[in-house]
Amino acid sequence: MRFFKIIAVIIVLLIGAYAASMYYFVDESKSFKVEKEVDYPLDKVYSQFSNLQHFTRWNNFFTSSKTITIDYYTPYEGQGSAISYNDPKSKDGGEMFIRYENPNKTLRYQLFEDEDENPTLIDVKFKSVSPQKTRITWFVHTPKLSVLSRAQNFWTEDKFTENIDKSMVNLKNVLGNKVEKDNQLASIKYDSLMIEKEEARMILGISVSTSNKKDALYKNIVMNYNKVYNFVTMDLGKKDDEFGYPILITDADNFKDKEVSYYFGIPLSKKFGVNDNNFSFRSVSPTRNYVMYYRGTYAGRVKAIQQLMQKAKADEMRYGDIYQTFIEQPVDGRDVNMKLSLSVYK
């Protein structure tokens, strides 16, 4: 009995010592600043923070969980917008609000975690460093904690900074795809032959062989586009601004063959494990391409491809695959809007 009393006294003393050290040496709340730069224009960066539907697509706090559910509340963007979230697996939940907005300059968030009545206050400031670079600064003020809970403040800043580091990687991938699409649309000159250098890409898709009779090939392409698009968006949960335009890769001159083999896929930012054996990744090395934008019937693309091949022969260049990038999704019965790229080399 005496032994248990001694143990009880020791526990009380330890708790007392812990509480005293927390009271005198650890602040009840924590304030800190985190600063990052991204190589994208201010307006494009800011919109990813002010629109909470965009925000939750790249912020690691939300993307790191596959079981989290999010409800969005009007107006969805800017001051007054809000979300609530719940993760049944980790049992985390809470609410987030945008309380103040100075467009392209400042946003103020309030984050209520679990059932805490006191929010974390986050001010985010944006500054254009150059036309293509934006500085983002977070000013974070955590809620007051009870004496026994203050140990959390030892790792709060590190945890927040780690989340931002991972989120910035996601944001750059999202903006990279979005800006690439915008730039491609803005630079289109139909039926003009151009020379471009293409960076390395990672594409997820399927390999196909099909008949080349009449409209059979295009109908097959439409079917496989839907198959790949649904897999990427529904099974993998990717949003449209997280990937590039769909690409068909095939031999440049196989339009003359009775049967055509091709690879159809969607560019993603990185390679990862895929459970469905029907889909596989293809790594495309950097290439030098002869390029032509084409709009019309799918069968009519042949003339544009022949022009690219003739140019390569005239320049005494050898050529490899033809890359057919669909600027607009392929739909049965409609004209196509595409970029034709013939890879060339000496």
Side-chain angles (χ1 to χ4, degrees):
M1 193 71 170
R2 184 181 177 188
F3 172 76
F4 289 111
K5 287 183 179 180
I6 293 173
I7 294 296
V9 169
I10 292 174
I11 291 173
V12 169
L13 289 174
L14 288 173
I15 293 174
Y18 169 81
S21 63
M22 291 296 104
Y23 181 81
Y24 287 107
F25 301 112
V26 181
D27 294 333
E28 59 183 359
S29 64
K30 194 170 181 67
S31 297
F32 55 89
K33 180 178 80 170
V34 180
E35 193 170 86
K36 298 289 180 181
E37 289 187 357
V38 289
D39 295 326
Y40 294 99
L42 172 61
D43 59 330
K44 295 188 181 297
V45 173
Y46 180 82
S47 66
Q48 293 294 323
F49 284 79
S50 62
N51 185 313
L52 292 181
Q53 290 178 312
H54 293 167
F55 182 84
T56 54
R57 291 178 186 175
W58 55 263
N59 190 285
N60 181 70
F61 184 83
F62 300 100
T63 62
S64 59
S65 171
K66 293 183 178 180
T67 55
I68 196 168
T69 59
I70 305 171
D71 293 319
Y72 301 88
Y73 304 100
T74 56
Y76 303 126
E77 185 173 8
Q79 186 171 327
S81 56
I83 61 172
S84 61
Y85 64 92
N86 181 58
D87 190 342
K89 187 174 182 180
S90 64
K91 297 182 179 179
D92 291 331
E95 296 177 313
M96 182 174 173
F97 302 85
I98 296 181
R99 295 302 193 190
Y100 172 78
E101 176 187 33
N102 186 358
N104 289 329
K105 291 184 178 180
T106 306
L107 286 168
R108 177 171 296 159
Y109 301 101
Q110 275 190 339
L111 174 63
F112 292 85
E113 297 186 83
D114 299 317
E115 297 180 358
D116 197 337
E117 295 181 357
N118 298 312
T120 297
L121 304 176
I122 307 169
D123 285 311
V124 186
K125 294 190 176 181
F126 305 84
K127 183 177 180 180
S128 178
V129 180
S130 72
Q132 296 299 323
K133 180 173 286 189
T134 302
R135 181 178 298 128
I136 311 167
T137 308
W138 289 260
F139 298 90
V140 183
H141 184 73
T142 64
K144 294 180 179 180
L145 295 176
S146 65
V147 170
L148 295 180
S149 301
R150 287 185 194 176
Q152 295 178 36
N153 285 335
F154 284 123
W155 58 79
T156 297
E157 184 174 351
D158 290 340
K159 186 177 178 182
F160 189 89
T161 303
E162 181 184 3
N163 181 73
I164 287 181
D165 288 339
K166 293 179 179 178
S167 297
M168 288 298 96
V169 173
N170 296 338
L171 177 61
K172 289 174 183 177
N173 290 334
V174 167
L175 286 173
N177 288 322
K178 183 176 177 59
V179 170
E180 180 185 353
K181 288 180 179 180
D182 291 345
N183 290 342
Q184 278 191 324
L185 288 173
S187 65
I188 289 180
K189 295 179 181 178
Y190 290 99
D191 303 320
S192 296
L193 200 152
M194 297 168 282
I195 300 175
E196 292 183 358
K197 287 184 178 179
E198 187 72 59
E199 299 295 329
R201 287 171 292 177
M202 188 63 65
I203 303 174
L204 176 64
I206 54 179
S207 297
V208 181
S209 290
T210 189
S211 171
N212 194 23
K213 292 181 180 179
K214 293 185 178 181
D215 295 330
L217 174 57
Y218 186 58
K219 289 180 182 294
N220 186 265
I221 289 170
V222 171
M223 179 186 71
N224 285 299
Y225 161 78
N226 291 325
K227 188 181 296 184
V228 175
Y229 180 82
N230 288 338
F231 181 73
V232 169
T233 56
M234 298 176 70
D235 293 67
L236 300 182
K238 301 292 183 182
K239 306 296 182 183
D240 284 351
D241 54 8
E242 294 182 78
F243 52 82
Y245 290 117
I247 299 174
L248 185 151
I249 306 172
T250 188
D251 292 338
D253 55 2
N254 72 357
F255 53 81
K256 299 174 292 187
D257 299 336
K258 292 182 179 180
E259 188 168 292
V260 172
S261 296
Y262 66 87
Y263 178 87
F264 191 96
I266 288 177
L268 296 174
S269 58
K270 62 182 178 180
K271 185 176 180 179
F272 46 82
V274 176
N275 294 327
D276 192 327
N277 292 330
N278 293 310
F279 298 88
S280 62
F281 277 96
R282 176 175 291 196
S283 176
V284 178
S285 301
T287 55
R288 183 169 182 259
N289 298 332
Y290 286 175
V291 172
M292 186 176 288
Y293 286 92
Y294 167 78
R295 186 194 292 271
T297 64
Y298 186 71
R301 83 201 182 285
V302 172
K303 183 179 178 181
I305 294 174
Q306 289 174 325
Q307 285 181 256
L308 295 173
M309 293 165 60
Q310 288 166 5
K311 171 67 174 172
K313 290 176 182 177
D315 293 346
E316 298 183 344
M317 302 287 286
R318 291 184 288 175
Y319 54 84
D321 291 330
I322 187 84
Y323 298 84
Q324 302 175 28
T325 303
F326 289 86
I327 307 299
E328 297 174 2
Q329 72 175 73
V331 177
D332 194 19
R334 288 190 197 172
D335 285 351
V336 296
N337 184 9
M338 57 169 33
K339 175 183 177 182
L340 299 167
S341 306
L342 180 68
S343 62
V344 296
Y345 54 95
K346 284 292 188 181

